[in-house]
Amino acid sequence: MGGGDMASTWRGAAASRAVVLLVATALSACASDHGTDRASTAARTHATPSAAVSATATKPTTATALATTPSSPSTSAQSAPGQTGQTRTPTGACAGQTPLKLHVTVHQETWRGGPLEYPVLGVSSPCGAVQAAAAMQRAVNGMVVSEREDWKGTAGSPPATDEPASGFSARLSTPVDVDGLAVVSLEIVRYAAGAAHPLTLLRSVSVDTRTGRPFTKAGMLAEMQRTGGPQWDFERELRRYARLARPQEPQVAPSRADVGMYPTRAGMAITVDHCALFSCASGAVEFTIPWSQLVGPKDRMSFIPDHWGH
């Protein structure tokens, strides 16, 4: 993309963005598995910002509510002899509901000549998951602030010519919101003055909706390692599915330090930032490692809701 095109793109975005956006997750009362789960075993690439939870309005006072669609119900998994790992109660106060409701206010500013747009998240729970709501709100807002301030340190001075100005935007989505697990993902687009192109970064926060405890990458990997024993090899599966995701780049050999992750019904979603591992032409990349490659059929993981099975 040329400098002039990039400049018009950022300026057009700054002129047309809405100030307030209300995002509400669906509150359906279905069978044992309500919520949303967008990840699939197919690889996905993100060359441009996702519009999954954003809307453009012409008036600053306009708010747009977007609700996710619940996935189809499935039969709850039953306990079986020989199961290992942490056992979780199959039902809770939020059983049959989406535990968290997100309220997003989008702030727009201009910083050093470029557009700065970021969400401030408020989280409530219709079924009493107050600890999870507070934990999610605190973690997501902290992550946005951290990424925003980091961008400010690298954005550079305002361009003296017709070069594109720097820019920053962040959008939220909820790939998972079921009893026992909620995930908020962030797609952050950063542009530094003088850079060849913007960079897309993928971040996520996963929370146990019953306790408010975060599910971190280190914690989930340690739990799977304890259950899988000394022969369990996450890097082996990571390399295998990375090559399936981008077969044109077979030389890529990622490690756990190179990726982000969050649990979905289909498996562990793996996220790779733009230009961090694959070629920059690939954009940000996301793919899924199926649970069958990571945990045994009788293993119980604290971050996999019982009613999903695996």
Coordinates of all heavy atoms in Angstrom, one line a residue, residues 96-197:
G96 N -26.7 -22.9 31.0 CA -27.7 -22.5 30.1 C -27.8 -21.1 29.7 O -28.7 -20.6 29.0
Q97 N -26.8 -20.3 30.1 CA -26.8 -18.9 29.8 C -25.4 -18.4 29.4 O -24.4 -19.1 29.6 CB -27.2 -18.0 31.1 CG -28.5 -18.4 31.7 CD -28.8 -17.4 32.8 OE1 -28.9 -16.2 32.7 NE2 -29.1 -18.0 34.0
T98 N -25.4 -17.3 28.7 CA -24.1 -16.7 28.5 C -23.7 -15.8 29.7 O -24.4 -14.9 30.0 CB -24.1 -15.8 27.2 OG1 -25.2 -14.9 27.3 CG2 -24.3 -16.6 26.0
P99 N -22.6 -16.2 30.4 CA -22.4 -15.6 31.7 C -22.1 -14.1 31.8 O -22.4 -13.4 32.7 CB -21.2 -16.4 32.3 CG -21.2 -17.7 31.5 CD -21.7 -17.3 30.1
L100 N -21.4 -13.6 30.7 CA -20.9 -12.2 30.8 C -21.6 -11.4 29.7 O -21.9 -11.8 28.6 CB -19.4 -12.2 30.6 CG -18.6 -13.0 31.6 CD1 -17.1 -12.7 31.3 CD2 -18.9 -12.6 33.0
K101 N -21.8 -10.1 30.0 CA -22.4 -9.2 29.1 C -21.4 -8.0 29.0 O -21.0 -7.4 30.0 CB -23.8 -8.7 29.6 CG -24.4 -7.7 28.6 CD -25.8 -7.3 29.1 CE -26.5 -6.4 28.1 NZ -27.9 -6.1 28.6
L102 N -21.0 -7.7 27.8 CA -19.9 -6.7 27.6 C -20.5 -5.4 27.2 O -21.4 -5.3 26.3 CB -18.9 -7.2 26.5 CG -18.3 -8.5 26.7 CD1 -17.2 -8.7 25.6 CD2 -17.8 -8.8 28.0
H103 N -20.0 -4.3 27.8 CA -20.5 -3.0 27.4 C -19.2 -2.2 27.0 O -18.3 -2.0 27.8 CB -21.1 -2.3 28.6 CG -22.2 -3.1 29.3 ND1 -23.5 -3.0 28.9 CD2 -22.1 -4.0 30.3 CE1 -24.2 -3.9 29.7 NE2 -23.3 -4.5 30.5
V104 N -19.1 -1.8 25.7 CA -17.9 -1.3 25.2 C -18.1 0.2 24.8 O -19.0 0.5 24.0 CB -17.4 -2.1 24.0 CG1 -16.1 -1.4 23.4 CG2 -17.1 -3.5 24.4
T105 N -17.3 1.1 25.3 CA -17.3 2.5 24.9 C -16.0 2.7 24.1 O -14.9 2.4 24.6 CB -17.3 3.4 26.1 OG1 -18.5 3.1 26.9 CG2 -17.4 4.9 25.6
V106 N -16.2 3.2 22.9 CA -15.0 3.4 22.0 C -14.6 4.9 22.1 O -15.4 5.8 21.9 CB -15.3 3.0 20.5 CG1 -14.1 3.4 19.6 CG2 -15.7 1.6 20.4
H107 N -13.3 5.0 22.5 CA -12.8 6.4 22.6 C -12.0 6.7 21.4 O -11.2 5.9 20.9 CB -11.9 6.5 23.9 CG -12.6 6.4 25.2 ND1 -12.8 7.6 25.9 CD2 -13.2 5.4 25.8 CE1 -13.5 7.2 27.0 NE2 -13.8 5.9 26.9
Q108 N -12.1 7.9 20.9 CA -11.4 8.4 19.7 C -10.6 9.7 20.1 O -11.2 10.6 20.7 CB -12.4 8.7 18.6 CG -13.0 7.5 18.0 CD -13.9 7.9 16.8 OE1 -14.6 8.9 16.9 NE2 -13.9 7.1 15.8
E109 N -9.4 9.7 19.7 CA -8.5 10.8 19.9 C -7.6 11.0 18.7 O -7.6 10.1 17.8 CB -7.6 10.6 21.1 CG -8.4 10.3 22.4 CD -7.4 9.9 23.5 OE1 -6.2 10.1 23.4 OE2 -7.9 9.3 24.5
T110 N -6.9 12.1 18.7 CA -5.8 12.2 17.7 C -4.5 12.4 18.5 O -4.4 13.2 19.4 CB -6.0 13.5 16.8 OG1 -7.3 13.3 16.1 CG2 -4.9 13.7 15.8
W111 N -3.5 11.6 18.1 CA -2.2 11.7 18.8 C -1.1 11.8 17.8 O -1.0 10.9 16.9 CB -2.1 10.4 19.6 CG -1.0 10.5 20.6 CD1 -1.0 11.1 21.9 CD2 0.4 10.0 20.5 NE1 0.2 11.0 22.5 CE2 1.1 10.4 21.7 CE3 1.1 9.4 19.5 CZ2 2.4 10.0 21.9 CZ3 2.4 9.0 19.7 CH2 3.0 9.3 20.9
R112 N -0.4 12.9 17.8 CA 0.7 13.2 16.9 C 0.3 13.1 15.5 O 0.9 12.5 14.6 CB 1.9 12.2 17.2 CG 2.6 12.5 18.5 CD 3.9 11.8 18.6 NE 4.6 12.2 19.8 CZ 5.8 11.7 20.1 NH1 6.4 10.8 19.4 NH2 6.4 12.1 21.2
G113 N -0.9 13.6 15.2 CA -1.4 13.7 13.8 C -2.1 12.4 13.3 O -2.6 12.4 12.2
G114 N -2.2 11.3 14.1 CA -2.8 10.1 13.7 C -4.0 9.7 14.6 O -4.1 10.2 15.7
P115 N -4.9 8.9 14.0 CA -6.1 8.5 14.8 C -5.7 7.5 15.9 O -4.9 6.5 15.7 CB -7.0 7.9 13.7 CG -6.0 7.4 12.7 CD -4.8 8.3 12.7
L116 N -6.3 7.7 17.0 CA -6.1 6.8 18.2 C -7.5 6.4 18.6 O -8.3 7.2 19.0 CB -5.4 7.5 19.3 CG -5.3 6.7 20.7 CD1 -4.7 5.4 20.5 CD2 -4.6 7.6 21.7
E117 N -7.8 5.1 18.5 CA -9.2 4.6 18.8 C -9.0 3.3 19.7 O -8.3 2.4 19.3 CB -9.9 4.2 17.5 CG -11.3 3.7 17.7 CD -12.0 3.3 16.4 OE1 -12.2 4.2 15.6 OE2 -12.2 2.1 16.2
Y118 N -9.7 3.3 20.8 CA -9.5 2.2 21.7 C -10.8 2.0 22.5 O -11.5 2.9 22.8 CB -8.3 2.4 22.6 CG -8.4 3.6 23.5 CD1 -8.9 3.5 24.8 CD2 -7.9 4.8 23.1 CE1 -9.0 4.6 25.6 CE2 -8.0 5.9 23.9 CZ -8.5 5.8 25.2 OH -8.6 6.9 26.0
P119 N -11.1 0.7 22.9 CA -12.3 0.5 23.7 C -12.0 0.5 25.2 O -10.9 0.2 25.6 CB -12.6 -1.0 23.2 CG -11.3 -1.6 22.9 CD -10.4 -0.5 22.4
V120 N -13.0 0.9 25.9 CA -13.0 0.8 27.4 C -14.1 -0.2 27.7 O -15.3 0.1 27.3 CB -13.1 2.1 28.1 CG1 -13.3 1.9 29.6 CG2 -11.9 3.0 27.8
L121 N -13.8 -1.3 28.3 CA -14.8 -2.3 28.6 C -15.4 -2.3 29.9 O -14.7 -2.1 30.9 CB -14.1 -3.7 28.4 CG -14.9 -5.0 28.6 CD1 -16.0 -5.1 27.5 CD2 -14.0 -6.2 28.5
G122 N -16.7 -2.4 30.0 CA -17.4 -2.7 31.2 C -18.1 -4.1 31.1 O -18.5 -4.4 30.0
V123 N -18.1 -4.9 32.1 CA -18.6 -6.2 32.1 C -19.6 -6.4 33.2 O -19.3 -6.1 34.4 CB -17.5 -7.3 32.2 CG1 -18.0 -8.7 32.0 CG2 -16.4 -7.0 31.2
S124 N -20.7 -7.0 32.9 CA -21.7 -7.4 33.9 C -22.0 -8.8 33.7 O -21.7 -9.4 32.7 CB -22.9 -6.5 33.9 OG -23.6 -6.6 32.6
S125 N -22.8 -9.4 34.7 CA -23.2 -10.8 34.5 C -24.7 -10.9 34.9 O -25.1 -10.5 36.0 CB -22.4 -11.7 35.4 OG -22.9 -13.0 35.4
P126 N -25.5 -11.5 34.0 CA -26.9 -11.6 34.3 C -27.2 -12.8 35.3 O -28.3 -12.9 35.7 CB -27.5 -11.9 32.9 CG -26.4 -12.5 32.1 CD -25.2 -11.9 32.6
C127 N -26.2 -13.6 35.5 CA -26.4 -14.8 36.4 C -25.5 -14.8 37.6 O -25.3 -15.9 38.1 CB -26.3 -16.0 35.5 SG -24.8 -16.1 34.6
G128 N -25.0 -13.7 38.0 CA -24.2 -13.6 39.2 C -22.7 -14.0 39.2 O -22.1 -14.1 40.2
A129 N -22.2 -14.0 38.0 CA -20.7 -14.3 37.8 C -19.9 -13.1 38.0 O -19.2 -12.6 37.1 CB -20.4 -15.0 36.5
V130 N -20.1 -12.4 39.2 CA -19.5 -11.1 39.4 C -18.0 -11.1 39.5 O -17.3 -10.2 39.0 CB -20.1 -10.5 40.7 CG1 -21.6 -10.2 40.5 CG2 -19.9 -11.4 41.9
Q131 N -17.4 -12.2 40.0 CA -16.0 -12.3 40.1 C -15.4 -12.4 38.7 O -14.3 -11.8 38.4 CB -15.5 -13.5 40.9 CG -15.8 -13.3 42.4 CD -15.4 -14.6 43.2 OE1 -15.8 -15.7 42.9 NE2 -14.5 -14.4 44.2
A132 N -16.0 -13.2 37.8 CA -15.5 -13.3 36.5 C -15.7 -12.0 35.7 O -14.8 -11.6 34.9 CB -16.3 -14.4 35.7
A133 N -16.8 -11.3 35.9 CA -17.0 -10.0 35.2 C -15.9 -9.0 35.6 O -15.4 -8.3 34.8 CB -18.4 -9.5 35.6
A134 N -15.6 -8.9 36.9 CA -14.6 -8.0 37.4 C -13.2 -8.4 36.9 O -12.4 -7.5 36.4 CB -14.6 -7.9 38.9
A135 N -12.9 -9.7 36.9 CA -11.6 -10.1 36.4 C -11.4 -9.8 34.9 O -10.4 -9.4 34.4 CB -11.4 -11.6 36.7
M136 N -12.5 -10.1 34.1 CA -12.4 -9.9 32.7 C -12.3 -8.4 32.4 O -11.4 -8.0 31.5 CB -13.7 -10.4 32.0 CG -13.6 -10.3 30.5 SD -12.4 -11.3 29.7 CE -13.2 -12.9 29.7
Q137 N -13.0 -7.6 33.0 CA -13.0 -6.1 32.8 C -11.6 -5.6 33.1 O -11.0 -4.8 32.3 CB -14.0 -5.4 33.7 CG -14.0 -3.9 33.5 CD -15.1 -3.3 34.3 OE1 -16.3 -3.6 34.2 NE2 -14.8 -2.3 35.2
R138 N -11.0 -6.0 34.3 CA -9.7 -5.5 34.7 C -8.6 -6.0 33.7 O -7.7 -5.2 33.3 CB -9.4 -6.0 36.1 CG -8.1 -5.6 36.7 CD -8.1 -5.9 38.2 NE -8.3 -7.3 38.4 CZ -9.4 -7.9 39.0 NH1 -10.4 -7.1 39.4 NH2 -9.5 -9.2 39.2
A139 N -8.7 -7.2 33.3 CA -7.6 -7.8 32.4 C -7.6 -7.2 31.0 O -6.6 -6.8 30.5 CB -7.7 -9.3 32.4
V140 N -8.8 -7.0 30.5 CA -8.9 -6.5 29.1 C -8.5 -5.0 29.0 O -7.8 -4.6 28.2 CB -10.3 -6.7 28.5 CG1 -10.5 -6.0 27.2 CG2 -10.6 -8.2 28.3
N141 N -9.1 -4.3 30.0 CA -8.7 -2.8 30.0 C -7.2 -2.6 30.2 O -6.6 -1.7 29.6 CB -9.6 -2.1 31.0 CG -11.0 -1.9 30.6 OD1 -11.3 -1.9 29.4 ND2 -11.9 -1.8 31.5
G142 N -6.6 -3.4 31.1 CA -5.2 -3.3 31.3 C -4.4 -3.7 30.1 O -3.4 -3.0 29.8
M143 N -4.9 -4.7 29.4 CA -4.2 -5.1 28.1 C -4.2 -4.0 27.1 O -3.3 -3.6 26.4 CB -4.8 -6.3 27.6 CG -4.1 -6.9 26.4 SD -4.8 -8.5 25.9 CE -4.2 -9.6 27.3
V144 N -5.4 -3.3 26.9 CA -5.6 -2.3 26.0 C -4.7 -1.1 26.3 O -4.0 -0.5 25.4 CB -7.0 -1.8 25.9 CG1 -7.2 -0.5 25.1 CG2 -7.9 -2.9 25.3
V145 N -4.6 -0.7 27.6 CA -3.8 0.4 28.0 C -2.3 0.1 27.7 O -1.5 0.9 27.2 CB -4.0 0.7 29.5 CG1 -2.9 1.7 30.0 CG2 -5.4 1.3 29.7
S146 N -1.9 -1.1 28.1 CA -0.5 -1.5 27.9 C -0.1 -1.4 26.4 O 1.0 -0.9 26.0 CB -0.3 -2.9 28.4 OG 1.0 -3.4 28.1
E147 N -1.0 -2.0 25.5 CA -0.7 -1.9 24.1 C -0.7 -0.5 23.5 O 0.1 -0.2 22.7 CB -1.7 -2.8 23.3 CG -1.5 -4.3 23.6 CD -0.3 -4.9 23.0 OE1 0.4 -4.3 22.2 OE2 0.0 -6.1 23.4
R148 N -1.6 0.3 24.0 CA -1.7 1.7 23.5 C -0.5 2.5 23.9 O 0.1 3.2 23.1 CB -3.0 2.3 24.1 CG -3.3 3.7 23.6 CD -4.4 4.3 24.5 NE -3.9 4.6 25.8 CZ -4.7 4.7 26.9 NH1 -6.0 4.4 26.8 NH2 -4.2 5.0 28.1
E149 N 0.0 2.3 25.2 CA 1.1 3.1 25.6 C 2.4 2.6 24.9 O 3.3 3.4 24.6 CB 1.3 3.0 27.1 CG 0.1 3.6 27.9 CD -0.1 5.1 27.4 OE1 0.9 5.9 27.5 OE2 -1.2 5.4 27.0
D150 N 2.5 1.3 24.6 CA 3.6 0.8 23.9 C 3.7 1.3 22.5 O 4.7 1.7 22.0 CB 3.6 -0.8 23.9 CG 4.7 -1.4 23.1 OD1 5.9 -1.3 23.7 OD2 4.6 -1.9 22.0
W151 N 2.5 1.4 21.9 CA 2.4 2.0 20.5 C 2.9 3.5 20.5 O 3.6 3.9 19.7 CB 1.0 1.9 20.0 CG 0.8 2.8 18.8 CD1 1.2 2.6 17.5 CD2 0.1 4.1 18.8 NE1 0.8 3.6 16.7 CE2 0.1 4.6 17.5 CE3 -0.5 4.8 19.8 CZ2 -0.4 5.8 17.1 CZ3 -1.1 6.0 19.4 CH2 -1.1 6.5 18.1
K152 N 2.5 4.2 21.6 CA 2.9 5.6 21.6 C 4.4 5.8 21.7 O 5.0 6.7 21.2 CB 2.3 6.3 22.9 CG 0.8 6.6 22.8 CD 0.3 7.3 24.0 CE -1.2 7.7 23.8 NZ -1.7 8.4 25.1
G153 N 5.1 4.8 22.3 CA 6.5 4.9 22.4 C 7.2 4.6 21.1 O 8.4 4.9 20.9
T154 N 6.5 4.0 20.1 CA 7.1 3.6 18.8 C 6.5 4.3 17.7 O 6.9 4.1 16.5 CB 7.0 2.1 18.6 OG1 5.6 1.7 18.6 CG2 7.7 1.4 19.7
A155 N 5.4 5.2 17.9 CA 4.7 5.7 16.8 C 5.5 6.8 16.0 O 5.2 7.0 14.8 CB 3.4 6.4 17.3
G156 N 6.4 7.4 16.6 CA 7.2 8.4 15.9 C 6.6 9.8 15.9 O 5.5 10.0 16.3
S157 N 7.3 10.7 15.3 CA 6.8 12.1 15.3 C 5.9 12.3 14.1 O 5.8 11.5 13.2 CB 8.0 13.1 15.1 OG 8.9 12.9 16.2
P158 N 5.1 13.3 14.1 CA 4.2 13.6 13.0 C 5.0 13.7 11.7 O 6.0 14.3 11.7 CB 3.5 14.9 13.4 CG 3.7 15.1 14.8 CD 4.9 14.4 15.2
P159 N 4.5 13.2 10.6 CA 5.2 13.3 9.3 C 5.3 14.7 8.8 O 4.4 15.5 8.9 CB 4.4 12.4 8.4 CG 3.0 12.4 9.0 CD 3.2 12.5 10.5
A160 N 6.5 15.0 8.3 CA 6.7 16.4 7.8 C 6.2 16.5 6.4 O 6.0 17.6 5.9 CB 8.2 16.7 7.8
T161 N 6.0 15.4 5.7 CA 5.5 15.4 4.3 C 4.1 14.7 4.3 O 3.4 14.7 5.2 CB 6.5 14.6 3.4 OG1 6.6 13.3 3.9 CG2 7.9 15.2 3.5
D162 N 3.8 14.2 3.1 CA 2.5 13.5 2.9 C 2.6 12.1 3.3 O 1.8 11.3 2.8 CB 2.1 13.7 1.5 CG 0.6 13.4 1.3 OD1 -0.2 13.6 2.3 OD2 0.2 12.9 0.2
E163 N 3.5 11.7 4.1 CA 3.6 10.3 4.6 C 2.4 10.0 5.5 O 1.8 10.9 6.1 CB 4.8 10.0 5.4 CG 6.1 10.1 4.7 CD 7.3 9.9 5.6 OE1 7.1 9.5 6.8 OE2 8.4 10.1 5.2
P164 N 1.9 8.7 5.5 CA 0.8 8.4 6.4 C 1.2 8.7 7.9 O 2.3 8.5 8.3 CB 0.7 6.8 6.2 CG 1.4 6.6 4.9 CD 2.5 7.5 4.8
A165 N 0.2 9.2 8.6 CA 0.4 9.4 10.0 C 0.3 8.1 10.8 O -0.2 7.1 10.2 CB -0.7 10.4 10.6
S166 N 0.8 8.1 12.0 CA 0.7 6.9 12.8 C -0.8 6.7 13.2 O -1.6 7.6 13.1 CB 1.5 7.0 14.1 OG 1.1 8.2 14.8
G167 N -1.1 5.5 13.6 CA -2.5 5.2 14.0 C -2.6 3.9 14.9 O -1.7 3.1 14.9
F168 N -3.7 3.9 15.7 CA -3.9 2.7 16.6 C -5.4 2.5 16.7 O -6.2 3.4 16.9 CB -3.3 3.1 18.0 CG -3.5 2.0 19.0 CD1 -2.5 1.1 19.3 CD2 -4.7 1.9 19.7 CE1 -2.6 0.1 20.3 CE2 -4.9 0.9 20.7 CZ -3.8 0.0 21.0
S169 N -5.8 1.2 16.6 CA -7.2 0.9 16.9 C -7.2 -0.5 17.5 O -6.3 -1.3 17.3 CB -8.0 0.9 15.6 OG -7.6 -0.1 14.7
A170 N -8.2 -0.8 18.3 CA -8.4 -2.1 18.9 C -9.9 -2.4 18.9 O -10.7 -1.6 19.2 CB -7.9 -2.0 20.4
R171 N -10.2 -3.7 18.6 CA -11.6 -4.2 18.5 C -11.7 -5.4 19.4 O -10.8 -6.2 19.4 CB -12.0 -4.4 17.1 CG -12.1 -3.1 16.3 CD -12.4 -3.4 14.8 NE -12.7 -2.2 14.1 CZ -11.7 -1.4 13.6 NH1 -10.5 -1.6 13.9 NH2 -12.0 -0.3 13.0
L172 N -12.8 -5.6 20.0 CA -13.1 -6.7 20.8 C -14.1 -7.7 20.2 O -15.0 -7.3 19.4 CB -13.7 -6.3 22.1 CG -13.0 -5.3 23.0 CD1 -13.8 -4.9 24.2 CD2 -11.6 -5.9 23.4
S173 N -14.0 -9.0 20.5 CA -15.0 -10.0 20.2 C -15.0 -11.0 21.3 O -14.1 -11.1 22.1 CB -14.7 -10.6 18.8 OG -13.4 -11.4 18.9
T174 N -16.1 -11.8 21.3 CA -16.2 -12.8 22.3 C -16.4 -14.2 21.7 O -17.5 -14.7 21.4 CB -17.5 -12.6 23.2 OG1 -18.6 -12.4 22.4 CG2 -17.2 -11.3 24.1
P175 N -15.3 -14.9 21.3 CA -15.3 -16.2 20.7 C -16.0 -17.2 21.5 O -16.5 -18.2 21.0 CB -13.9 -16.5 20.4 CG -13.1 -15.7 21.3 CD -13.9 -14.4 21.5
V176 N -15.9 -17.1 22.9 CA -16.5 -18.1 23.8 C -17.1 -17.4 25.0 O -16.5 -16.5 25.6 CB -15.4 -19.1 24.3 CG1 -16.0 -20.1 25.2 CG2 -14.6 -19.8 23.2
D177 N -18.3 -17.7 25.3 CA -19.0 -17.2 26.5 C -20.0 -18.2 26.9 O -21.2 -18.1 26.6 CB -19.7 -15.9 26.1 CG -20.2 -15.1 27.4 OD1 -19.9 -15.6 28.5 OD2 -20.8 -14.1 27.2
V178 N -19.6 -19.3 27.6 CA -20.4 -20.3 28.1 C -20.2 -20.5 29.6 O -19.2 -20.0 30.2 CB -20.2 -21.7 27.3 CG1 -20.4 -21.5 25.9 CG2 -18.7 -22.1 27.6
D179 N -21.1 -21.3 30.2 CA -20.9 -21.6 31.6 C -19.6 -22.3 31.9 O -19.3 -23.4 31.4 CB -22.0 -22.5 32.1 CG -22.0 -22.7 33.6 OD1 -21.6 -21.8 34.3 OD2 -22.5 -23.8 34.1
G180 N -18.7 -21.6 32.6 CA -17.4 -22.2 33.0 C -16.2 -21.5 32.2 O -15.1 -21.6 32.7
L181 N -16.5 -20.9 31.1 CA -15.4 -20.3 30.3 C -15.9 -19.1 29.5 O -16.9 -19.2 28.8 CB -14.8 -21.3 29.4 CG -13.7 -20.8 28.4 CD1 -12.5 -20.3 29.1 CD2 -13.4 -21.9 27.4
A182 N -15.2 -18.0 29.6 CA -15.5 -16.8 28.7 C -14.1 -16.4 28.2 O -13.1 -16.3 28.9 CB -16.1 -15.7 29.5
V183 N -14.1 -16.0 26.9 CA -12.9 -15.5 26.2 C -13.3 -14.2 25.5 O -14.2 -14.2 24.8 CB -12.4 -16.6 25.2 CG1 -11.1 -16.0 24.5 CG2 -12.1 -17.9 25.9
V184 N -12.5 -13.2 25.7 CA -12.5 -12.0 25.0 C -11.2 -11.9 24.1 O -10.1 -12.0 24.7 CB -12.7 -10.8 25.9 CG1 -12.5 -9.5 25.1 CG2 -14.1 -10.7 26.5
S185 N -11.4 -11.7 22.9 CA -10.2 -11.5 22.0 C -10.1 -10.1 21.5 O -11.1 -9.4 21.4 CB -10.2 -12.5 20.8 OG -11.3 -12.1 20.0
L186 N -8.9 -9.7 21.4 CA -8.5 -8.3 20.9 C -7.8 -8.4 19.6 O -6.8 -9.1 19.5 CB -7.6 -7.6 21.9 CG -8.3 -6.9 23.1 CD1 -7.2 -6.6 24.2 CD2 -8.9 -5.6 22.7
E187 N -8.2 -7.6 18.6 CA -7.5 -7.4 17.4 C -7.0 -6.0 17.4 O -7.8 -5.0 17.3 CB -8.3 -7.7 16.2 CG -7.6 -7.6 14.9 CD -8.4 -8.0 13.7 OE1 -9.3 -7.2 13.4 OE2 -8.2 -9.1 13.1
I188 N -5.7 -5.8 17.5 CA -5.1 -4.5 17.6 C -4.3 -4.2 16.3 O -3.6 -5.0 15.8 CB -4.1 -4.4 18.8 CG1 -4.9 -4.6 20.1 CG2 -3.4 -3.1 18.8 CD1 -4.0 -5.0 21.3
V189 N -4.6 -3.0 15.7 CA -3.9 -2.6 14.5 C -3.1 -1.3 14.9 O -3.6 -0.3 15.3 CB -4.9 -2.3 13.4 CG1 -4.1 -1.8 12.1 CG2 -5.7 -3.5 13.0
R190 N -1.8 -1.4 14.6 CA -0.9 -0.4 15.0 C -0.1 0.1 13.7 O 0.2 -0.8 12.9 CB 0.2 -0.8 16.0 CG -0.3 -1.4 17.2 CD 0.7 -2.1 18.1 NE 2.0 -1.4 18.1 CZ 2.8 -1.4 19.2 NH1 2.4 -2.0 20.3 NH2 4.0 -0.8 19.2
Y191 N 0.1 1.4 13.6 CA 0.8 1.9 12.5 C 1.8 3.0 13.0 O 1.4 3.9 13.7 CB -0.1 2.5 11.4 CG 0.7 2.9 10.1 CD1 1.2 1.9 9.3 CD2 0.9 4.2 9.9 CE1 2.0 2.3 8.1 CE2 1.6 4.6 8.7 CZ 2.2 3.7 7.9 OH 2.9 4.1 6.8
A192 N 3.0 2.9 12.6 CA 4.0 3.9 13.0 C 4.4 4.7 11.8 O 4.5 4.2 10.7 CB 5.3 3.2 13.6
A193 N 4.5 6.0 12.0 CA 4.9 6.9 10.9 C 6.1 6.4 10.2 O 7.1 6.1 10.8 CB 5.0 8.3 11.4
G194 N 6.0 6.3 8.9 CA 7.2 5.9 8.1 C 7.3 4.4 7.9 O 8.1 3.9 7.1
A195 N 6.4 3.6 8.5 CA 6.5 2.2 8.4 C 5.9 1.8 7.0 O 5.0 2.5 6.5 CB 5.7 1.5 9.5
A196 N 6.2 0.6 6.6 CA 5.7 0.1 5.3 C 4.3 -0.2 5.3 O 3.6 -0.1 4.3 CB 6.6 -1.1 4.8
H197 N 3.8 -0.7 6.4 CA 2.4 -1.1 6.5 C 2.0 -1.2 8.0 O 2.9 -1.3 8.9 CB 2.2 -2.5 5.9 CG 3.2 -3.5 6.3 ND1 3.1 -4.1 7.6 CD2 4.3 -4.1 5.7 CE1 4.1 -5.0 7.7 NE2 4.8 -5.0 6.6

